[in-house]
Amino acid sequence: MAGKPSTTGSGGLDLDSRPILVFWETTKSCLLSCRHCRATAVPTAMPGELHNADGRRLLDQIAAFGRPAPIVVLTGGDCLMRPDLLDLTAHARRLGLTVALSPSVTPQLTPEALAPFLELGVKVVSISLDGATAATHDRVRGVPGHFDATVRALGWLARAGVKVQVNTTVMRENLAEMADVAAILKRLDISLWEVFFLVHVGRGQAVSAPSASQNEDICHFLFEASRYGILVRTVEAPFFRRVVAWRRQLDDSEEPTEHFGLGPLYTQLHQQLVEVLGPPVRRPMAQSMGTRDGMGIVFVSHDGTVRPSGFLPLTLGNVKDRPLAEIYRDNPVLRAIRAAAFTGRCAVCPFGRICGGSRARAFASSGNPLGEDPGCAYIPA
């Protein structure tokens, strides 16, 4: 069995003591009805939403982790549906917190609406793009014309000097368009791509996820996409880091398909990537930091409920009753996740340190947040 994985992140940050990212679901309110929505967002705010004073106290709690403080990602729903979002952002900035926004593309997202956030020092905005065609993206988002609106928003955000992150959720219906999504990013000069691997939570329970073997093909494709000047990160696919470790050891003369036993999806996506972007010209830019749900990441829902991540609906406590730092550091489930106290294949996997499997997918499939990740194709010897 592999030894206890290190819980030290980049820069020597002790992930037992503090997360790198705190995601705050500021509201469940959103004008969209996306088919795969984790939050099962609704048009109006839900009862129990943290009011302004509670929100300020939450930000105080995040700052209380100490330096370096976690990055705060204000998400939703649609964070722009929260009327006091600017006030909360200003409070976070006064506390010295780094803030990122994750809004929905709706008529509310305009250069004028975003300008005061940029003046406060918000430098990162993430936008979802779930297909390379209007037919695919609009079907996922549930709004005709949303693809064109999203591409326009990505364009003006990039021109405004914002660091733009494109979020793409991988599902069966958009697999064939992943290379073309990468081409859109290059055309718009966007260099940060966060690819979400579907977990069956919220409305995503009704959406078909790729198989484990397809996930493997996608990860190898994403490694190659990162050789075009795009920093690629994954969500709920920590096994991508195993693939990155493998591919960095592979000699350029070796063929990945045969060496790793990859399937037809990899071949298709690889060929499409070369067709639309030409041969790769840079060193790979694939993230390999060993974070996972509850280890370097923690999620606070609209009503203050704390969870290991937005995709793992396991209640750990509430920030109205107990400080976030105490919940993160002391909760027995989180301590077990950080200690890699897993079962099944994940318990004996030699990649436990850099991967550890998706805790959310393990929970969704078995009810055990420490179980093995069925989305991973790797079988340890």
Side-chain angles (χ1 to χ4, degrees), residues 49-82:
E49 184 176 287
L50 293 180
H51 53 65
N52 185 270
D54 288 332
R56 284 170 171 253
R57 279 191 286 270
L58 169 59
L59 294 168
D60 292 342
Q61 291 178 23
I62 296 170
F65 274 105
R67 300 296 178 190
I71 297 169
V72 182
V73 182
L74 301 178
T75 181
D78 178 7
C79 58
L80 291 180
M81 293 290 284
R82 179 146 182 150

Side-chain angles (χ1 to χ4, degrees), residues 160-325:
V162 181
K163 185 174 183 180
V164 182
Q165 172 183 302
V166 166
N167 297 338
T168 302
T169 299
V170 178
M171 56 195 86
R172 295 252 178 124
E173 60 193 271
N174 66 4
L175 288 180
E177 298 181 13
M178 294 297 288
D180 291 318
V181 172
I184 292 175
L185 267 63
K186 289 297 296 178
R187 174 166 58 85
L188 296 175
D189 198 27
I190 293 170
S191 60
L192 184 53
W193 193 15
E194 191 147 289
V195 182
F196 290 63
F197 283 56
L198 187 72
V199 176
H200 288 135
V201 294
R203 282 197 285 264
Q205 295 179 67
V207 179
S208 295
S211 65
S213 61
Q214 288 176 322
N215 285 341
E216 195 78 359
D217 286 0
I218 296 164
C219 286
H220 283 269
F221 155 75
L222 290 175
F223 177 83
E224 294 175 4
S226 78
R227 300 181 67 185
Y228 291 85
I230 301 172
L231 175 61
V232 176
R233 300 194 296 228
T234 59
V235 176
E236 301 305 343
F239 39 79
F240 176 58
R241 297 190 284 265
R242 167 180 52 80
V243 170
V244 171
W246 278 351
R247 291 297 299 267
R248 284 180 169 158
Q249 296 174 0
L250 189 69
D251 188 275
D252 287 342
S253 64
E254 295 183 84
E255 169 54 50
T257 306
E258 295 183 5
H259 189 88
F260 297 110
L262 302 178
L265 178 60
Y266 165 77
T267 301
Q268 175 188 351
L269 293 175
H270 167 74
Q271 292 175 347
Q272 289 175 345
L273 189 65
V274 174
E275 287 174 6
V276 296
L277 292 179
V281 294
R282 300 190 183 183
R283 295 174 61 84
M285 297 171 59
Q287 189 196 52
S288 56
M289 186 184 301
T291 58
R292 52 180 170 263
D293 301 337
M295 178 176 161
I297 295 168
V298 71
F299 178 88
V300 182
S301 74
H302 72 288
D303 61 358
T305 301
V306 181
R307 297 171 178 167
S309 80
F311 297 92
L312 207 174
L314 185 67
T315 298
L316 308 173
N318 193 293
V319 296
K320 291 185 287 188
D321 304 321
R322 193 178 183 198
L324 181 61

Side-chain angles (χ1 to χ4, degrees), residues 39-174:
T40 316
V42 291
T44 57
M46 294 282 287
E49 184 176 287
L50 293 180
H51 53 65
N52 185 270
D54 288 332
R56 284 170 171 253
R57 279 191 286 270
L58 169 59
L59 294 168
D60 292 342
Q61 291 178 23
I62 296 170
F65 274 105
R67 300 296 178 190
I71 297 169
V72 182
V73 182
L74 301 178
T75 181
D78 178 7
C79 58
L80 291 180
M81 293 290 284
R82 179 146 182 150
D84 61 347
L85 188 71
L86 185 62
D87 176 74
L88 292 168
T89 302
H91 184 70
R93 296 296 294 142
R94 284 192 293 271
L95 294 169
L97 296 173
T98 299
V99 177
L101 298 181
S102 184
S104 299
V105 175
T106 72
Q108 296 204 131
L109 180 63
T110 65
E112 295 74 22
L114 200 63
F117 293 95
L118 303 185
E119 292 174 3
L120 287 172
V122 173
K123 294 182 172 60
V124 180
V125 176
S126 61
I127 298 294
S128 293
L129 179 65
D130 289 315
T133 64
T136 299
H137 177 89
D138 291 359
R139 184 167 60 250
V140 171
R141 292 280 149 183
V143 178
H146 197 264
F147 174 80
D148 293 336
T150 298
V151 172
R152 286 195 299 271
L154 291 172
W156 66 255
L157 282 165
R159 291 191 297 273
V162 181
K163 185 174 183 180
V164 182
Q165 172 183 302
V166 166
N167 297 338
T168 302
T169 299
V170 178
M171 56 195 86
R172 295 252 178 124
E173 60 193 271
N174 66 4

